[in-house]
Amino acid sequence: MTNRGPLSDQDTQTKALEVLERHSKKRGLARLMPFLGPAFVVSVAYMDPGNFATNIQSGAQFGYLLIWVVLASSLIAMLIQSLSAKLGIATGKSLPEVVRQEYRPWVRYFYWIQAELAAIATDLAEFIGAALGFHLLMGIPLVWGGVLAAITTFALLILQRYGFRPLEAAISVLVGVIALAYIFELFFSHPDLGLIQGFIPRFSGSDSILLAVGILGATVMPHVIYLHSALTEQRIPVQDPALKRRLLRFSNVDVVVALSIASFVNMAMLVAAAAVFHKTGRTDIADITTAYQTLTPLLGPLASAAFAVALLASGLSSTTVGTMAGQLVMQGFVGFSIPLWVRRLVTLIPSFVVILLGLDPTQVLVISQVVLSFAIPFALIPLLLFTNSPRLMGELANSKLVQALGWLIAALIIGLNLYLVIQSF
C-alpha cells in the first residue's frame, strides 16, 4: 500500500497489458476474478457493527421508514468508492499521498490528526462488535470476548505478509458469512409488503433524522475512502490511458458487486428489526444484546445464532480493515509508519476502556457512527477536488455530471450534520 513512484519499467507495463488482455478475452466470473477484491475489502466497513446498532434502532423504532436512507447511503457509497479507486488507478497514489503532495505541511498534519480520531471512533465500533459476537455466541464475559477478538484480528492481519490475495480471500469469506446469516434472518422474520413504503423518502421527527445521520455515518465510512485508493494504486500498474480506462471499468464492476451485497445486508438488518420488533410493539429495542435475547423467544435459537454469527464476522473483518486503513492514513499523510501489531495494540485501548467501565456498547456504537459522519467531508472534499482535476487525473478526470453529483452529495452530508448540531443545542 505504499507508493512506489511512477513506473517506467517496460517489462512491468508489458506484464500489466498481458494481464488485462488475457482476462478481457474471458467470459463471466473468470474474466473478473483478478480484478475483484479491493471493493470487497472496503465493503466490510459498510456492514460493520455500527450498522447493526443504527439499523436495529431504526427498524425497531420507526419500522420500515428509513429503508430509503440505507439505499441512498449505499448508492452514495458506490460513487465515492469508485472515485477513490479511480484516484489510485489514475495517479498511482493513495488519497493521503496526494494530499501530502498537494497541500502544505500544517494542512497535512491536520488531516492526519482528524483521520486518526475518526479511525479511533471506527475501531471502537468494530472491535466492540466483535467482542459482543463472541460474548453472545459463547456466553463468556464481554472482556474475554474482547481478548478473543484481539487474538483473531492479529491472526487475520498476519495474512497480509503473504500478499493481498490471502487477506482479500479471508475478508470475502467473512462478507459471505454476513450475507448468508441475514438471508436466514429475513427467512425467519417474514417481512410484509409494507416495506415497499420504506423506499419513499420521508422522516418522522428529529429522532429519525438523528438515526438517518447515524446510518449515513455508518454507511459512508471515511477511513475506507482513504483505503480504497491505496488498494488500487499499484494493484496492476499501468501508465497508458487506454489501459487505465479498461482497468477502471473492471474496478467499477468490483465496486457495484461488493457494495450491492453490503446494501442488501444493511437493508436486511433494518427490515428484520422492523418485522420482528416494531411489528410486535417492541419499539424500545435499541441494544444489540437485548435484540439477540429477544430474537430467541420470538423466532427461535437459530435466528438469534445467525444474528450473533453475522455480528462476529462483521466485527472481525471490519476491525482488521480499520487497522489497515489507520496504517495507510499515517503513512500517506505524514510519511512514516509504525509496526502493524503496535497500531493494533494501541487502538485496542479505547475499546477495552469502554468494556471495563461497563458503558452501554450499543449506545457507544451509535455515537461513534454520528462522529464518523462529521469526518466524511474531510475525506470527501479533497477526493472530489483531486478527481475533478485534469492535471492529476488526465483523461480520467470526472465528467461534469459526476462533479455535480459529488458536490451535491458533499453538500447533503454537511447540511445534515449542521442540522444535527442545531437540533442538539
Side-chain angles (χ1 to χ4, degrees):
M1 290 189 297
T2 58
N3 178 45
R4 294 186 288 274
L7 294 175
S8 56
D9 187 341
Q10 187 63 39
D11 291 338
T12 301
Q13 291 300 294
T14 302
K15 185 177 179 181
L17 177 60
E18 289 173 354
V19 170
L20 287 169
E21 289 291 352
R22 184 168 65 252
H23 291 280
S24 292
K25 295 176 182 177
K26 295 182 179 181
R27 292 291 180 266
L29 189 60
R31 183 182 187 184
L32 294 173
M33 279 303 293
F35 310 98
L36 297 178
F40 280 82
V41 171
V42 302
S43 73
V44 301
Y46 296 95
M47 41 187 162
D48 74 355
N51 295 83
F52 279 71
T54 54
N55 289 327
I56 288 171
Q57 284 198 11
S58 300
Q61 189 171 350
F62 295 103
Y64 303 123
L65 179 72
L66 297 179
I67 293 177
W68 70 273
V69 177
V70 176
L71 177 60
S73 297
S74 299
L75 294 174
I76 288 171
M78 287 183 188
L79 176 60
I80 292 172
Q81 292 305 146
S82 69
L83 293 181
S84 178
K86 180 164 72 168
L87 180 69
I89 292 169
T91 66
K93 294 181 173 67
S94 68
L95 176 56
E97 288 170 335
V98 180
V99 168
R100 188 175 70 183
Q101 169 187 293
E102 297 292 314
Y103 293 156
R104 295 180 178 181
W106 71 268
V107 177
R108 302 198 299 261
Y109 276 92
F110 168 78
Y111 266 90
W112 172 51
I113 292 169
Q114 64 81 28
E116 290 283 12
L117 292 175
I120 291 172
T122 301
D123 194 68
L124 190 64
E126 295 164 345
F127 185 80
I128 288 178
L132 271 173
F134 278 118
H135 164 69
L136 296 175
L137 275 175
M138 304 175 68
I140 59 178
L142 188 58
V143 66
W144 288 111
V147 171
L148 287 178
I151 293 171
T152 309
T153 52
F154 273 116
L156 286 170
L157 288 169
I158 288 173
L159 292 176
Q160 198 177 21
R161 294 183 179 180
Y162 304 99
F164 59 83
R165 274 303 187 187
L167 184 58
E168 285 180 1
I171 296 297
S172 297
V173 168
L174 290 171
V175 169
V177 169
I178 300 167
L180 284 174
Y182 260 91
I183 290 174
F184 280 111
E185 286 295 300
L186 287 178
F187 175 77
F188 287 123
S189 61
H190 302 293
D192 57 58
L193 291 177
L195 68 87
I196 296 174
Q197 296 182 356
F199 292 95
I200 302 173
R202 65 197 192 280
F203 292 108
S204 179
S206 59
D207 286 345
S208 67
I209 296 176
L210 175 64
L211 280 171
V213 174
I215 290 172
L216 186 63
T219 308
V220 184
M221 303 291 279
H223 70 292
V224 289
I225 298 177
Y226 299 125
L227 177 62
H228 203 165
S229 58
L231 294 175
T232 59
E233 61 174 318
Q234 298 289 349
R235 185 181 178 87
I236 301 179
V238 294
Q239 294 298 308
D240 182 77
L243 295 182
K244 288 183 178 181
R245 287 195 297 272
R246 192 183 305 177
L247 187 55
L248 180 60
R249 287 196 293 271
F250 286 118
S251 175
N252 286 338
V253 173
D254 185 31
V255 169
V256 170
V257 172
L259 294 191
S260 292
I261 295 172
S263 179
F264 161 77
V265 170
N266 276 297
M267 285 191 281
M269 288 181 195
L270 192 150
V271 167
V276 176
F277 302 132
H278 187 80
K279 190 175 180 180
T280 57
R282 295 300 308 270
T283 58
D284 59 323
I285 298 290
D287 176 87
I288 289 177
T289 303
T290 305
Y292 169 82
Q293 293 168 344
T294 308
L295 280 172
T296 300
L298 288 177
L299 301 180
L302 285 178
S304 56
F307 174 85
V309 167
L311 178 64
L312 177 60
S314 167
L316 291 176
S317 56
S318 57
T319 193
T320 302
V321 170
T323 304
M324 294 167 53
Q327 186 80 332
L328 158 77
V329 161
M330 175 184 287
Q331 188 172 294
F333 282 130
V334 294
F336 65 89
S337 61
I338 58 177
L340 204 57
W341 66 270
V342 174
R343 171 172 288 276
R344 175 71 277 183
L345 283 176
V346 170
T347 54
L348 288 177
I349 295 172
S351 300
F352 274 102
V353 168
V354 168
I355 292 172
L356 293 173
L357 289 178
L359 301 179
D360 180 3
T362 303
Q363 194 61 31
V364 171
L365 293 181
V366 173
I367 292 172
S368 73
Q369 301 312 301
V370 175
V371 169
L372 285 177
S373 71
F374 285 91
I376 295 169
F378 293 106
L380 182 54
I381 289 175
L383 177 66
L384 291 173
L385 290 172
F386 297 150
T387 54
N388 289 345
S389 169
R391 175 178 63 85
L392 293 172
M393 302 291 292
E395 295 180 10
L396 295 184
N398 294 336
S399 66
K400 296 294 183 183
L401 176 60
V402 173
Q403 290 182 37
L405 284 174
W407 289 119
L408 179 63
I409 289 168
L412 173 66
I413 293 171
I414 294 170
L416 281 173
N417 290 334
L418 287 175
Y419 179 84
L420 181 61
V421 171
I422 292 170
Q423 287 294 106
S424 298
F425 285 98

CSV table of all heavy atoms in Angstrom, one decimal, residues 7 27 33 37 44 67 86 93 136 188-189 225 241 247 258 261 265 288 295 307 371 410:
chain,number,residue,atom,x,y,z
A,7,LEU,N,5.9,4.3,-12.6
A,7,LEU,CA,6.5,3.1,-13.2
A,7,LEU,C,7.0,3.4,-14.6
A,7,LEU,O,6.3,3.8,-15.4
A,7,LEU,CB,5.6,1.9,-13.2
A,7,LEU,CG,5.1,1.4,-11.8
A,7,LEU,CD1,4.1,0.4,-12.0
A,7,LEU,CD2,6.3,0.9,-11.0
A,27,ARG,N,-14.8,-14.9,-20.2
A,27,ARG,CA,-16.2,-14.5,-20.0
A,27,ARG,C,-16.6,-14.8,-18.6
A,27,ARG,O,-16.0,-15.6,-17.9
A,27,ARG,CB,-17.1,-15.4,-21.0
A,27,ARG,CG,-16.9,-15.0,-22.5
A,27,ARG,CD,-17.4,-13.6,-22.8
A,27,ARG,NE,-17.3,-13.3,-24.2
A,27,ARG,CZ,-16.2,-12.6,-24.6
A,27,ARG,NH1,-15.3,-12.2,-23.8
A,27,ARG,NH2,-16.2,-12.3,-25.9
A,33,MET,N,-12.3,-12.2,-12.1
A,33,MET,CA,-11.7,-12.6,-10.8
A,33,MET,C,-10.4,-11.9,-10.5
A,33,MET,O,-10.2,-11.5,-9.3
A,33,MET,CB,-11.4,-14.1,-10.9
A,33,MET,CG,-12.6,-15.0,-10.6
A,33,MET,SD,-13.3,-14.7,-8.9
A,33,MET,CE,-11.9,-15.2,-7.9
A,37,GLY,N,-11.8,-7.8,-5.5
A,37,GLY,CA,-11.1,-7.8,-4.2
A,37,GLY,C,-11.1,-6.6,-3.4
A,37,GLY,O,-11.5,-6.5,-2.3
A,44,VAL,N,-16.7,-4.3,3.9
A,44,VAL,CA,-17.0,-4.7,5.3
A,44,VAL,C,-17.2,-3.5,6.2
A,44,VAL,O,-17.9,-3.6,7.2
A,44,VAL,CB,-15.8,-5.6,5.8
A,44,VAL,CG1,-15.6,-6.8,5.0
A,44,VAL,CG2,-14.5,-4.8,6.0
A,67,ILE,N,-35.7,2.8,5.3
A,67,ILE,CA,-35.1,1.9,4.3
A,67,ILE,C,-34.5,2.8,3.2
A,67,ILE,O,-33.4,2.5,2.7
A,67,ILE,CB,-36.1,0.9,3.7
A,67,ILE,CG1,-36.5,-0.1,4.7
A,67,ILE,CG2,-35.4,0.2,2.5
A,67,ILE,CD1,-37.6,-1.1,4.2
A,86,LYS,N,-10.6,5.1,-8.6
A,86,LYS,CA,-10.1,5.8,-9.8
A,86,LYS,C,-8.9,6.7,-9.5
A,86,LYS,O,-8.0,6.7,-10.3
A,86,LYS,CB,-11.3,6.6,-10.4
A,86,LYS,CG,-10.9,7.4,-11.7
A,86,LYS,CD,-12.0,7.9,-12.5
A,86,LYS,CE,-12.7,9.0,-11.8
A,86,LYS,NZ,-13.7,9.7,-12.8
A,93,LYS,N,-1.2,6.8,-6.7
A,93,LYS,CA,-1.0,7.2,-5.3
A,93,LYS,C,-2.4,7.1,-4.6
A,93,LYS,O,-3.4,7.1,-5.2
A,93,LYS,CB,-0.6,8.7,-5.2
A,93,LYS,CG,0.8,9.0,-5.8
A,93,LYS,CD,1.1,10.5,-5.6
A,93,LYS,CE,2.6,10.8,-5.9
A,93,LYS,NZ,2.9,10.6,-7.4
A,136,LEU,N,-22.0,-13.2,22.9
A,136,LEU,CA,-23.3,-13.7,22.7
A,136,LEU,C,-23.3,-15.2,22.3
A,136,LEU,O,-24.1,-16.0,22.7
A,136,LEU,CB,-24.0,-12.9,21.6
A,136,LEU,CG,-24.3,-11.4,22.0
A,136,LEU,CD1,-24.9,-10.7,20.8
A,136,LEU,CD2,-25.2,-11.3,23.2
A,188,PHE,N,-36.6,-16.0,8.6
A,188,PHE,CA,-37.2,-16.2,9.9
A,188,PHE,C,-38.2,-15.1,10.3
A,188,PHE,O,-39.2,-15.3,11.0
A,188,PHE,CB,-36.2,-16.3,11.0
A,188,PHE,CG,-35.4,-17.6,11.0
A,188,PHE,CD1,-34.0,-17.7,10.9
A,188,PHE,CD2,-36.1,-18.8,11.1
A,188,PHE,CE1,-33.4,-18.9,10.9
A,188,PHE,CE2,-35.4,-20.0,11.1
A,188,PHE,CZ,-34.0,-20.1,11.0
A,189,SER,N,-37.9,-13.8,9.8
A,189,SER,CA,-38.6,-12.7,10.3
A,189,SER,C,-39.9,-12.4,9.5
A,189,SER,O,-40.8,-11.7,10.0
A,189,SER,CB,-37.8,-11.4,10.2
A,189,SER,OG,-37.3,-11.2,8.9
A,225,ILE,N,-12.6,5.4,2.4
A,225,ILE,CA,-12.4,6.3,1.3
A,225,ILE,C,-10.9,6.5,1.0
A,225,ILE,O,-10.4,6.5,-0.1
A,225,ILE,CB,-13.0,7.7,1.5
A,225,ILE,CG1,-14.5,7.6,1.7
A,225,ILE,CG2,-12.7,8.7,0.4
A,225,ILE,CD1,-15.2,8.9,2.0
A,241,PRO,N,-3.2,5.6,-20.9
A,241,PRO,CA,-4.6,6.0,-20.5
A,241,PRO,C,-5.6,5.0,-21.0
A,241,PRO,O,-6.6,4.8,-20.2
A,241,PRO,CB,-4.7,7.3,-21.3
A,241,PRO,CG,-3.3,7.8,-21.5
A,241,PRO,CD,-2.5,6.6,-21.6
A,247,LEU,N,-8.9,-0.8,-16.9
A,247,LEU,CA,-8.8,-1.2,-15.6
A,247,LEU,C,-9.9,-0.6,-14.7
A,247,LEU,O,-10.4,-1.2,-13.8
A,247,LEU,CB,-7.4,-0.9,-15.0
A,247,LEU,CG,-7.0,-1.4,-13.7
A,247,LEU,CD1,-7.2,-2.9,-13.6
A,247,LEU,CD2,-5.6,-0.9,-13.3
A,258,ALA,N,-19.6,-5.6,-4.9
A,258,ALA,CA,-19.3,-5.7,-3.4
A,258,ALA,C,-20.3,-4.8,-2.6
A,258,ALA,O,-20.8,-5.3,-1.6
A,258,ALA,CB,-17.9,-5.3,-3.2
A,261,ILE,N,-23.9,-6.1,-2.3
A,261,ILE,CA,-24.0,-7.1,-1.2
A,261,ILE,C,-24.2,-6.4,0.1
A,261,ILE,O,-25.0,-6.7,1.0
A,261,ILE,CB,-22.8,-8.0,-1.2
A,261,ILE,CG1,-22.8,-8.9,-2.4
A,261,ILE,CG2,-22.9,-8.9,0.1
A,261,ILE,CD1,-21.6,-9.8,-2.6
A,265,VAL,N,-27.3,-6.4,2.8
A,265,VAL,CA,-27.2,-6.7,4.2
A,265,VAL,C,-27.7,-5.6,5.1
A,265,VAL,O,-28.5,-5.9,6.1
A,265,VAL,CB,-25.7,-7.0,4.6
A,265,VAL,CG1,-25.5,-7.1,6.1
A,265,VAL,CG2,-25.2,-8.2,3.9
A,288,ILE,N,-28.0,-4.1,21.1
A,288,ILE,CA,-27.7,-5.3,20.4
A,288,ILE,C,-27.9,-6.6,21.2
A,288,ILE,O,-28.5,-7.6,20.8
A,288,ILE,CB,-26.2,-5.3,19.9
A,288,ILE,CG1,-26.2,-4.2,18.7
A,288,ILE,CG2,-25.8,-6.6,19.4
A,288,ILE,CD1,-24.8,-4.0,18.2
A,295,LEU,N,-34.7,-12.1,20.2
A,295,LEU,CA,-34.9,-13.0,19.0
A,295,LEU,C,-35.3,-14.4,19.3
A,295,LEU,O,-36.1,-15.1,18.6
A,295,LEU,CB,-33.7,-12.9,18.1
A,295,LEU,CG,-33.5,-11.7,17.2
A,295,LEU,CD1,-32.2,-11.7,16.5
A,295,LEU,CD2,-34.6,-11.6,16.1
A,307,PHE,N,-27.9,-14.2,13.9
A,307,PHE,CA,-27.6,-12.8,14.2
A,307,PHE,C,-26.2,-12.6,14.9
A,307,PHE,O,-25.4,-11.8,14.5
A,307,PHE,CB,-28.7,-12.2,15.2
A,307,PHE,CG,-28.5,-10.9,15.7
A,307,PHE,CD1,-28.9,-9.8,15.0
A,307,PHE,CD2,-27.9,-10.7,16.9
A,307,PHE,CE1,-28.6,-8.5,15.4
A,307,PHE,CE2,-27.6,-9.4,17.4
A,307,PHE,CZ,-28.0,-8.3,16.7
A,371,VAL,N,-20.3,10.5,15.1
A,371,VAL,CA,-19.0,11.2,15.0
A,371,VAL,C,-18.3,11.0,13.6
A,371,VAL,O,-17.8,11.9,13.0
A,371,VAL,CB,-18.0,10.6,16.1
A,371,VAL,CG1,-16.6,11.1,15.9
A,371,VAL,CG2,-18.5,11.1,17.5
A,410,ALA,N,-21.7,16.0,-1.1
A,410,ALA,CA,-20.9,16.6,-0.1
A,410,ALA,C,-21.8,17.7,0.7
A,410,ALA,O,-21.8,17.8,1.9
A,410,ALA,CB,-19.7,17.3,-0.6
